[in-house]
Amino acid sequence: MRRTAGSGGAGSGGTEMSHRVDSQGLLAQLRNPPGGRDARIMLLALAVDRTGSGLWAASSVLYLTFVTHLSPEQIGVLLGAAGIAGIVGSPLAGRLAGRFPVRRLLIGCHLLRLVTLLLVMTCTGFAALLPVIAATYLGDRAAKTLEMLFATRAAGERRAAYQALSRSAANAGYGVGAGLAAIGLAVGTTEAYRAMILANALSFAVAALLARRTREPRATVTVEVAKSEAAGTATAGPRDPARPKSPWRDRGYLRFVLLDIPMNLDDSVLGVGLPLWLVSSTSAPHALVPAVLVINTVLVVTLQLTVSNRAEGPRRVLRTVTLYGVLMGACCALLAAATRCGTWTAAAVLLGAAVLVTLAELMRSVSSWELAVLLAPPDARAAYLGVAGMSPSIQKSAGPPLLTGVVMAAGPTGWLVLGAVIAGLAYVQQRGCAWRLHAPLAPDRATTPPRQVLRSPRRSPDR
């Protein structure tokens, strides 16, 4: 992989490392990930966790319908409340992680979900299920935030590579879980549904045991601060020397989090908007819906590592934000155009949209992760990452009704407007983050003093 000066590397050493990363296969890197033994165990725990989550995602609505006999309205309220609990889970986990060991908190989240899922099988009414499902989703979102913080500490400056591996492992786990769910749904009995819930609960037990085998990752705050002070600048950047330690008082970071919510809309477009638009407004065959999900899973597993490697460093991460906006704009344009096509042309156009939204997802996964870390003060990173983790949870609650009630209701024009808005917000996000990082948007030139601010360290303190 070609690296340019000022892109986040460390001279020829950064170039050699990137070539070495690119030359390794996915399985080889999963066996020897950034962070060593503890990261490898955590990736396995994550894959097991997501296998159970895939089972739950594919069967939960049908379980609530056919086993507990809830109405569609009750299920909607139940999942809405669970989504709100998930939003609370991220900042709560970040705040607790600043006071308690991340590893123990993560084990606690796994055990919390284990208990609540077992309670689901004993609850038969809406009132009893509401707090149980809400607690499950709170633990789920908190666990994701803690996994992010664990990776940031364990993988150090190679956190982007670890994040790529974690997404590949997670998607593989979801795929296995969905496949197992298909078997249970084909059986369709009450016992089969309960067996799937038990399997999900078992996945949390195994994930907790695996997390217990890891060591608490040590924070590298003092090293990062020392390096920034040696360079004559604060980690927060000279334009904002008095940055508050609480993310709730940091207007710049809250602006990033707010803009990151629409930067997560690719999730709802793929899971809700595209399938519903396909079946309701185009002549494409309905059997194309599973193909869209297969394309997404395959591309994410195979391309995530490559995309992450080629977006290392603040400058390149900023460019992925703009690229995200372009890809989402093009995807929405294809969705709008699909209504005027014949059956097979519409199918091809929609498959193209699925590819574009998946590529946008890859861009977003890199930019959201890296910018959430880079924009946070190192000595308050846990609390900041907890607030940043609210963005995907808010989008999961607000995104589907936005697409179904506003965008799709407006027809093809709605998709065109959505694409233009996302592209514009991506540009605003890039400019705001560049200002905060002091990263020039002009083409790379020879290294200058301001570039010391945006260059992240490429060597871990113990190498």
Side-chain angles (χ1 to χ4, degrees):
M1 180 176 99
R2 178 180 171 270
R3 294 180 62 93
T4 56
S7 62
S12 60
T15 304
E16 291 172 2
M17 183 182 72
S18 292
H19 280 300
R20 185 167 63 252
V21 168
D22 281 345
S23 64
Q24 292 180 343
L26 175 61
L27 292 179
Q29 292 197 63
L30 286 171
R31 288 193 294 268
N32 186 29
R37 168 190 173 274
D38 292 333
R40 182 169 59 250
I41 295 175
M42 192 59 70
L43 286 172
L44 178 58
L46 186 147
V48 172
D49 178 338
R50 300 303 189 270
T51 299
S53 297
L55 273 167
W56 172 256
S59 61
S60 57
V61 172
L62 295 179
Y63 174 85
L64 295 172
T65 300
F66 296 117
V67 179
T68 61
H69 305 292
L70 297 184
S71 68
E73 292 77 13
Q74 288 176 316
I75 294 176
V77 173
L78 195 69
L79 296 181
I84 295 174
I87 295 172
V88 175
S90 294
L92 177 62
R95 185 174 182 84
L96 291 175
R99 302 180 180 183
F100 303 100
V102 172
R103 170 177 160 271
R104 293 181 183 176
L105 290 173
L106 184 56
I107 293 173
C109 287
H110 291 321
L111 295 179
L112 170 65
R113 291 183 290 169
L114 167 64
V115 172
T116 56
L117 275 180
L118 292 177
L119 289 175
V120 165
M121 294 192 298
T122 66
C123 298
T124 57
F126 172 80
L129 282 169
L130 183 60
V132 173
I133 298 294
T136 302
Y137 277 71
L138 184 148
D140 181 76
R141 191 63 245 177
K144 287 180 171 63
T145 299
L146 294 169
E147 288 165 352
M148 180 179 180
L149 186 56
F150 183 96
T152 301
R153 294 179 178 178
E157 77 282 0
R158 295 193 61 201
R159 56 183 174 264
Y162 179 93
Q163 186 260 3
L165 293 173
S166 70
R167 279 182 56 79
S168 297
N171 276 273
Y174 274 124
V176 172
L180 294 175
I183 299 174
L185 294 176
V187 176
T189 63
T190 298
E191 290 73 19
Y193 281 111
R194 288 177 174 164
M196 287 188 282
I197 292 181
L198 280 174
N200 190 13
L202 178 62
S203 75
F204 296 142
V206 174
L209 290 174
L210 289 171
R212 190 173 183 272
R213 294 182 55 198
T214 65
R215 295 163 293 188
E216 177 69 16
R218 63 185 182 88
T220 57
V221 172
T222 56
V223 176
E224 294 185 35
V225 172
K227 287 190 176 185
S228 65
E229 291 176 350
T233 60
T235 305
R239 276 190 186 170
D240 196 8
R243 184 171 300 169
K245 300 303 180 184
S246 170
W248 299 107
R249 298 179 181 179
D250 191 332
R251 289 182 294 178
Y253 199 83
L254 290 177
R255 189 181 305 115
F256 159 74
V257 174
L258 182 64
L259 288 173
D260 198 46
I261 296 172
M263 296 295 103
N264 279 266
L265 270 173
D266 59 273
D267 179 71
S268 290
V269 169
L270 177 72
V272 178
L274 198 159
L276 289 180
W277 188 251
L278 184 153
V279 301
S280 65
S281 302
T282 76
S283 58
H286 295 182
L288 201 66
V289 173
V292 167
L293 300 179
V294 170
I295 288 174
N296 174 262
T297 301
V298 171
L299 288 180
V300 169
V301 171
T302 56
L303 296 181
Q304 182 69 71
L305 193 60
T306 300
V307 170
S308 296
N309 288 339
R310 295 183 183 276
E312 288 184 343
R315 181 181 298 277
R316 291 181 174 180
V317 168
L318 288 173
R319 289 171 180 168
T320 65
V321 178
T322 300
L323 185 55
Y324 175 87
V326 172
L327 290 168
M328 285 299 294
C331 169
C332 291
L334 288 182
L335 290 173
T339 59
R340 299 181 178 273
C341 301
T343 299
W344 297 112
T345 302
V349 169
L350 290 171
L351 288 177
V355 172
L356 289 177
V357 74
T358 299
L359 294 177
E361 176 188 349
L362 294 171
M363 299 299 118
R364 184 259 304 165
S365 67
V366 173
S367 62
S368 293
W369 168 280
E370 274 295 288
L371 289 174
V373 175
L374 292 173
L375 297 176
D379 54 345
R381 186 167 284 165
Y384 272 70
L385 292 183
V387 173
M390 295 172 62
S391 295
S393 298
I394 295 174
Q395 186 282 140
K396 284 182 180 296
S397 296
L402 171 67
L403 292 180
T404 57
V406 179
V407 175
M408 294 175 60
T413 302
W415 285 112
L416 293 175
V417 172
L418 178 66
V421 169
I422 292 178
L425 291 177
Y427 176 77
V428 173
Q429 180 78 295
Q430 187 210 42
R431 297 294 298 186
C433 293
W435 186 91
R436 188 170 168 113
L437 291 171
H438 296 261
L441 297 179
D444 291 339
R445 297 187 299 270
T447 303
T448 58
R451 194 157 295 160
Q452 293 175 350
V453 176
L454 69 87
R455 189 166 62 220
S456 56
R458 308 306 300 168
R459 301 283 184 186
S460 60
D462 54 350
R463 286 184 183 176

